[in-house]
Amino acid sequence: MTQRVRVQCFTVTSNGIGAGEDQDHERPFGHVDPKDLMAWRFATGTWMNHSDAGTRGIDDYIERDYARGIGAEIMGRNKFGPIRGEWPDHEWQGWWGDEPPFHTPVFVLTHYPRPSFTLADTTFHFLQASPHDALEQAKTAAGDNDVRIGGGVTTVRAFLDAGLVDEMHVAVAPYEVSRGLQLWTHPDELTDRFHLERVPSSSGIVHHFFWRR
Amino acid sequence: MTQRVRVQCFTVTSNGIGAGEDQDHERPFGHVDPKDLMAWRFATGTWMNHSDAGTRGIDDYIERDYARGIGAEIMGRNKFGPIRGEWPDHEWQGWWGDEPPFHTPVFVLTHYPRPSFTLADTTFHFLQASPHDALEQAKTAAGDNDVRIGGGVTTVRAFLDAGLVDEMHVAVAPYEVSRGLQLWTHPDELTDRFHLERVPSSSGIVHHFFWRR
């Protein structure tokens, strides 16, 4: 099976915004509330650990696939944390507590070196590298599995612009916000390079599936 | 995680027919051609072993989930083969050749006993049992995984009527046939017991997701 580079469950507003402004230690998405943006994920049976209260329709099928066959993640530094510039110390270990939800090696792109560390079954590595070189390392770490480009917006854009993404799922939420980091002006910008299938869900989300032409 | 009983990728025509008449050794679906009925599955990247020619949209997401987390299958005797009544011998070993696509124990419901046998990583067991009792055995065999009710129509109906199905995905193809085994007159018949979400795919299929109320 070919090793693939995938974006999964990446959620933006109807005007393409995937994160707000003014990120700080309490607000990983800045002024955009993830409880609104990601409401579709939180309602699924899979997210709710298979509680009967969770939905089991199309949103859940997609949520189930988030981690499936993924052997490594690449993320931007701003997905890892709100600190900019030199690390003042190594106290910040991400937003996720003692058991991060990745369960694989994670490669954090940053201009500021820092030693790797492990929390439960996730090891964070810090790389100053081009998308291409970071991907080589992540592919090796992933073994036979795929590599997920985990975001944020800037990182997904960098990998798209470098032509390194094989497959991308973006969930478009049914509301706008006025400012923030924009993944696209319109998804059709990508159809020269990707097939695009749009699938509306009863949650109000429109799932956008892209795969290479 | 709760062990679930699931129907996956079960395909019917727009008038609910899941298999034709006049099944024989060459035609597992009788006069209905599976190349038409199942065209949506055959076009997916997953079915095509991740060939780049395959689709990677919603149909593929669903195809990917066919085997995921499944630890045993229950099927009716007519899914296993075209022989009726007593087994003349044990030569018939299913439609699937030396490497059946199940990769788990498979429980075949039949009134005619026969010894278990193994092909590659699939073992077929033959049970004269009620849906409830067969399910108990399949659940034990599945360990922590789910049980798939694999069909055909009569077997899916028997498990639905016994209230034993937790979750069901049915793909409705965009054409009718005039005769055959009918899963339902209309899917809304099941909405007293199940949530139902309908999701149209660009392949022409309408995916129907049912999960318990």
Side-chain angles (χ1 to χ4, degrees), chain A residues 168-200:
Chain A
M168 180 164 73
H169 163 251
V170 179
V172 178
Y175 68 98
E176 289 195 14
V177 297
S178 60
R179 60 201 166 86
L181 287 166
Q182 201 170 21
L183 181 65
W184 56 45
T185 305
H186 196 282
D188 287 349
E189 293 162 14
L190 297 171
T191 55
D192 56 334
R193 289 173 280 161
F194 291 99
H195 299 276
L196 168 56
E197 183 179 6
R198 288 179 177 82
V199 179

Coordinates of all heavy atoms in Angstrom, one line a residue, chain A residues 168-200:
Chain A
M168 N -7.1 15.3 1.3 CA -7.4 16.3 2.3 C -8.9 16.2 2.5 O -9.7 16.3 1.6 CB -7.0 17.7 1.8 CG -7.3 18.7 2.8 SD -6.4 20.3 2.6 CE -7.3 20.9 1.1
H169 N -9.3 16.1 3.8 CA -10.7 16.3 4.2 C -10.8 17.6 5.0 O -10.1 17.8 6.0 CB -11.1 15.1 5.1 CG -12.4 15.5 5.8 ND1 -12.4 15.7 7.2 CD2 -13.6 15.7 5.4 CE1 -13.6 16.0 7.6 NE2 -14.4 16.0 6.5
V170 N -11.6 18.5 4.5 CA -11.9 19.7 5.2 C -13.4 19.8 5.5 O -14.2 19.6 4.6 CB -11.5 21.0 4.4 CG1 -11.8 22.3 5.2 CG2 -10.0 20.9 4.1
A171 N -13.8 20.0 6.8 CA -15.2 20.2 7.1 C -15.5 21.7 7.1 O -14.7 22.5 7.8 CB -15.4 19.6 8.5
V172 N -16.5 22.1 6.4 CA -16.8 23.6 6.3 C -18.0 23.8 7.2 O -19.1 23.3 6.9 CB -17.0 24.0 4.9 CG1 -17.4 25.5 4.8 CG2 -15.7 23.8 4.0
A173 N -17.8 24.6 8.2 CA -18.9 24.9 9.2 C -19.8 26.0 8.6 O -19.4 26.8 7.8 CB -18.3 25.3 10.5
P174 N -21.1 26.0 9.1 CA -22.1 26.8 8.4 C -22.2 28.2 9.0 O -23.2 28.8 9.2 CB -23.4 26.1 8.7 CG -23.2 25.4 10.0 CD -21.7 25.0 10.0
Y175 N -21.0 28.9 9.3 CA -21.1 30.2 9.7 C -19.8 30.9 9.4 O -18.7 30.3 9.2 CB -21.4 30.3 11.2 CG -20.3 29.8 12.1 CD1 -19.3 30.7 12.7 CD2 -20.1 28.5 12.4 CE1 -18.3 30.2 13.5 CE2 -19.1 28.0 13.2 CZ -18.2 28.9 13.8 OH -17.2 28.4 14.6
E176 N -19.8 32.3 9.4 CA -18.6 33.0 9.0 C -18.0 33.7 10.3 O -18.7 33.9 11.3 CB -18.9 34.2 8.1 CG -19.3 33.8 6.7 CD -19.3 34.9 5.7 OE1 -18.7 36.0 6.1 OE2 -19.8 34.8 4.6
V177 N -16.7 33.9 10.3 CA -16.1 34.9 11.2 C -15.4 35.9 10.5 O -15.0 35.7 9.3 CB -15.2 34.2 12.3 CG1 -16.0 33.2 13.1 CG2 -14.0 33.5 11.6
S178 N -15.2 37.1 11.1 CA -14.7 38.2 10.3 C -13.2 38.3 10.1 O -12.7 38.9 9.2 CB -15.2 39.5 10.9 OG -14.7 39.6 12.2
R179 N -12.5 37.6 11.0 CA -11.0 37.6 10.9 C -10.4 36.4 11.4 O -11.0 35.6 12.2 CB -10.5 38.9 11.6 CG -10.8 38.9 13.1 CD -10.7 40.3 13.7 NE -11.4 40.3 15.0 CZ -10.8 39.9 16.2 NH1 -9.5 39.6 16.2 NH2 -11.5 39.9 17.3
G180 N -9.2 36.1 11.0 CA -8.5 34.9 11.4 C -7.6 34.4 10.3 O -7.4 35.1 9.3
L181 N -7.1 33.2 10.5 CA -6.2 32.6 9.5 C -7.0 31.9 8.5 O -7.8 31.0 8.8 CB -5.2 31.7 10.1 CG -4.1 32.4 10.9 CD1 -3.4 31.4 11.8 CD2 -3.1 33.0 10.0
Q182 N -6.9 32.2 7.2 CA -7.7 31.7 6.1 C -7.0 30.6 5.3 O -5.9 30.8 4.8 CB -8.1 32.9 5.2 CG -9.4 32.6 4.5 CD -9.9 33.8 3.7 OE1 -9.2 34.8 3.5 NE2 -11.2 33.8 3.4
L183 N -7.7 29.4 5.2 CA -7.1 28.4 4.4 C -7.3 28.6 3.0 O -6.4 28.3 2.2 CB -7.8 27.0 4.8 CG -7.4 25.8 4.1 CD1 -5.9 25.4 4.5 CD2 -8.3 24.6 4.4
W184 N -8.4 29.2 2.6 CA -8.7 29.5 1.2 C -9.7 30.6 1.1 O -10.4 30.9 2.0 CB -9.2 28.3 0.4 CG -10.4 27.6 1.0 CD1 -11.6 28.2 1.5 CD2 -10.6 26.2 1.3 NE1 -12.4 27.3 1.9 CE2 -11.9 26.1 1.8 CE3 -9.8 25.1 1.0 CZ2 -12.4 24.8 2.2 CZ3 -10.4 23.8 1.3 CH2 -11.6 23.7 1.9
T185 N -9.7 31.3 -0.1 CA -10.8 32.2 -0.4 C -12.0 31.3 -0.8 O -13.1 31.6 -0.4 CB -10.4 33.2 -1.5 OG1 -9.2 33.8 -1.1 CG2 -11.5 34.2 -1.8
H186 N -11.7 30.3 -1.7 CA -12.8 29.4 -2.1 C -12.2 28.1 -2.4 O -11.1 28.0 -2.9 CB -13.5 30.0 -3.4 CG -14.8 29.3 -3.6 ND1 -14.9 28.0 -4.2 CD2 -16.1 29.7 -3.4 CE1 -16.2 27.7 -4.3 NE2 -16.9 28.7 -3.8
P187 N -12.8 26.9 -2.0 CA -12.2 25.6 -2.2 C -11.9 25.3 -3.7 O -11.0 24.5 -4.0 CB -13.2 24.6 -1.6 CG -14.5 25.4 -1.3 CD -14.1 26.9 -1.2
D188 N -12.6 25.9 -4.6 CA -12.4 25.7 -6.0 C -11.0 26.1 -6.5 O -10.6 25.7 -7.5 CB -13.5 26.3 -6.9 CG -14.8 25.6 -6.8 OD1 -14.9 24.5 -6.2 OD2 -15.8 26.2 -7.3
E189 N -10.3 26.9 -5.7 CA -8.9 27.2 -6.0 C -8.1 26.0 -6.1 O -7.0 26.0 -6.8 CB -8.3 28.1 -4.8 CG -8.9 29.5 -4.7 CD -8.6 30.0 -3.3 OE1 -7.7 29.5 -2.6 OE2 -9.2 31.0 -2.9
L190 N -8.5 24.9 -5.5 CA -7.6 23.7 -5.5 C -8.0 22.7 -6.5 O -7.3 21.7 -6.6 CB -7.7 23.1 -4.1 CG -7.2 23.9 -2.9 CD1 -7.5 23.3 -1.6 CD2 -5.7 24.1 -3.0
T191 N -9.0 23.0 -7.3 CA -9.5 21.9 -8.2 C -8.7 21.7 -9.4 O -8.9 20.8 -10.2 CB -11.0 22.1 -8.6 OG1 -11.1 23.4 -9.2 CG2 -11.9 22.0 -7.4
D192 N -7.7 22.6 -9.7 CA -6.7 22.3 -10.8 C -5.8 21.1 -10.4 O -5.4 20.4 -11.3 CB -5.9 23.5 -11.1 CG -5.2 24.1 -9.8 OD1 -5.6 23.8 -8.7 OD2 -4.1 24.7 -10.0
R193 N -5.7 20.9 -9.1 CA -4.8 19.8 -8.6 C -5.5 18.7 -8.0 O -4.9 17.6 -7.9 CB -3.8 20.4 -7.6 CG -2.8 21.4 -8.2 CD -1.9 22.0 -7.1 NE -2.6 23.1 -6.4 CZ -2.3 23.6 -5.2 NH1 -1.4 23.0 -4.5 NH2 -3.0 24.6 -4.7
F194 N -6.7 18.9 -7.5 CA -7.4 17.9 -6.8 C -8.8 17.6 -7.4 O -9.4 18.5 -7.8 CB -7.6 18.3 -5.3 CG -6.3 18.4 -4.5 CD1 -5.6 19.6 -4.3 CD2 -5.7 17.2 -4.0 CE1 -4.5 19.6 -3.5 CE2 -4.6 17.3 -3.2 CZ -3.9 18.5 -3.0
H195 N -9.2 16.4 -7.3 CA -10.6 16.1 -7.4 C -11.3 16.7 -6.1 O -10.6 16.7 -5.1 CB -10.9 14.6 -7.3 CG -10.3 13.8 -8.5 ND1 -11.0 13.7 -9.7 CD2 -9.2 13.1 -8.6 CE1 -10.2 13.0 -10.5 NE2 -9.1 12.6 -9.9
L196 N -12.5 17.1 -6.2 CA -13.2 17.7 -5.0 C -14.6 17.1 -5.0 O -15.4 17.2 -6.0 CB -13.3 19.2 -5.1 CG -14.2 19.9 -4.1 CD1 -13.9 19.5 -2.6 CD2 -14.2 21.4 -4.2
E197 N -15.0 16.5 -3.9 CA -16.4 16.0 -3.7 C -16.9 16.7 -2.5 O -16.2 16.7 -1.4 CB -16.4 14.5 -3.5 CG -17.9 14.0 -3.4 CD -18.0 12.5 -3.2 OE1 -17.0 11.8 -3.1 OE2 -19.1 12.0 -3.2
R198 N -18.0 17.3 -2.6 CA -18.7 18.0 -1.4 C -19.9 17.1 -1.0 O -20.7 16.8 -1.8 CB -19.3 19.4 -1.9 CG -18.3 20.4 -2.2 CD -19.1 21.7 -2.6 NE -18.2 22.8 -2.8 CZ -17.5 23.0 -3.9 NH1 -17.6 22.2 -4.9 NH2 -16.7 24.1 -4.0
V199 N -19.9 16.9 0.3 CA -21.0 16.1 0.9 C -21.6 16.8 2.1 O -20.9 16.9 3.1 CB -20.4 14.7 1.3 CG1 -21.5 13.9 1.9 CG2 -19.8 14.0 0.1
P200 N -22.8 17.3 2.0 CA -23.5 17.9 3.1 C -23.9 16.9 4.2 O -24.4 15.8 3.8 CB -24.7 18.6 2.5 CG -25.0 17.9 1.2 CD -23.7 17.2 0.8

